[in-house]
Structure formats: C-alpha cells, structure tokens
Amino acid sequence: MARDLTASVITQLQAASVEVGILFEGEFASGWVRLWSGVGSLSWDSKTWTGTGNLLGISGIDETAEVRAAGVTVSLSGIPSDLLSAALGDARSGRVGRVYLAFFSGGSIVADPILQFEGRLDVPAIEDGPETATISISYESELIDLERARERRYTPEDQQIDFPGDLGFDYVASLQDAQITWGR
C-alpha cells in the first residue's frame, strides 16, 4: 500500500540509525487508554501516552494488496491480579483501537506517527499467573463485517426498522397459505 510519508519521516528512514516506538490507543468503557513502548510519559497529539517498556506487546500487522480482513493482538503483561476484573470489565466489543509507528530523535517524536492499524475490539483474553497476569486483546479490521451473516428477516417488525409506517410486509404471512389460481 502506498503511504504519504512526510519529509521528516523519509529523512528518518534514510538515516544511519533509526529510533522507533509503537503507540497504542484503545477505547474502553472508562475512557481512552494510551500506551507506548518506551519508558515514562510521552506527549503527542495533545494527549499523554503512558510508557510500558517491554510490558506492551503487539502481534505482527499484515498488509496485503488484496481486500481481506486482518487483525492484531495487543497484550500487556505484568498486571497485578487484583486489577484483572477492572481491566476486563472495561473491555467492550466493537470499541476502537489504533496502533501507530513513531520515529524518535533524542527521546522526542520527530514527525507525526504513521497509523499502522485501526480496528474494533473483538475478544479479550487473560493468562493468569500467581502474582501477575497478561491481558491480550484482539482487534479486527472493519472488513471483518463482510464475512458476517446478516440477521435480517422478511417480517413486519424488521421492515419497520428501515421504513417506519410501511405496511408491505404485514401481508406476507397471509400469502404463505394462499390459494392462487392462474389462468382459468
């Protein structure tokens, strides 16, 4: 996929050594969670991102030329066991999650991070240890909706969702047993 890279990003990519970091933001019931793969707080886009160091993990992000749904898994390890229920209670299916790739110089962001993935929260999972736990949250591309079956029916109630006041489907049930004579 072609990307519109800024001049500062191109300069960073051509440099002899490159400092990169991963930024994650996810929407939860209690609000937005913003984490990054470094240490300490980071300010970008008028938002504060909390550093997690090596406790934050991101699965591989697939990018293809074909149109297909892809997903990513974000994991956070080293969470105290008593905070698990609060963390899982905030996870709501369908909420937004984004992963960015950022370039750094001297500990500060050089250019606007590049959006690598945006999707909807699918399934949270826990690996519980004796003292700490790991939470993994799967995010799916919005293209996954193309693979889901549509749960619509030819009923008057279903017709009212899209066309309030339409009575067309009120007569469908009576047609099921109707005797219709064609011709003579």
Side-chain angles (χ1 to χ4, degrees):
M1 170 196 281
R3 300 214 185 265
D4 296 327
L5 301 178
T6 63
S8 56
V9 169
I10 293 171
T11 302
Q12 287 295 312
L13 291 173
Q14 294 172 344
S17 67
V18 178
E19 295 177 49
V20 295
I22 303 293
L23 284 72
F24 164 75
E25 73 176 339
E27 183 184 11
F28 292 87
S30 61
W32 287 89
V33 172
R34 292 179 178 88
L35 307 171
W36 78 288
S37 60
V39 178
S41 294
L42 174 72
S43 182
W44 172 68
D45 196 26
S46 302
K47 300 168 187 164
T48 302
W49 304 72
T50 305
T52 58
N54 59 1
L55 302 178
L56 177 67
I58 308 283
S59 69
I61 299 174
D62 294 331
E63 191 172 282
T64 64
E66 60 193 40
V67 178
R68 69 174 177 85
V72 68
T73 302
V74 177
S75 60
L76 189 61
S77 59
I79 299 172
S81 297
D82 57 339
L83 295 178
L84 275 181
S85 62
L88 288 178
D90 272 359
R92 300 282 189 274
S93 182
R95 298 283 176 110
V96 177
R98 296 181 191 100
V99 176
Y100 297 91
L101 176 66
F103 296 94
F104 294 85
S105 178
S108 60
I109 294 180
V110 174
D112 285 336
I114 301 168
L115 179 64
Q116 293 294 302
F117 180 84
E118 181 173 2
R120 302 279 178 185
L121 193 145
D122 187 27
V123 178
I126 323 168
E127 290 181 31
D128 198 8
E131 293 179 17
T132 64
T134 300
I135 295 179
S136 298
I137 300 176
S138 298
Y139 286 87
E140 292 291 341
S141 167
E142 290 185 17
L143 289 175
I144 199 76
D145 282 342
L146 296 175
E147 298 175 3
R148 290 196 176 111
R150 300 292 176 241
E151 295 293 328
R152 298 298 298 263
R153 306 284 185 247
Y154 294 108
T155 63
E157 296 79 18
D158 195 70
Q159 182 70 358
Q160 295 302 313
I161 293 170
D162 294 328
F163 306 101
D166 185 359
L167 302 177
F169 280 108
D170 286 353
Y171 306 102
V172 171
S174 65
L175 290 175
Q176 181 176 349
D177 297 322
Q179 295 292 327
I180 300 174
T181 307
W182 292 98
R184 301 173 155 219

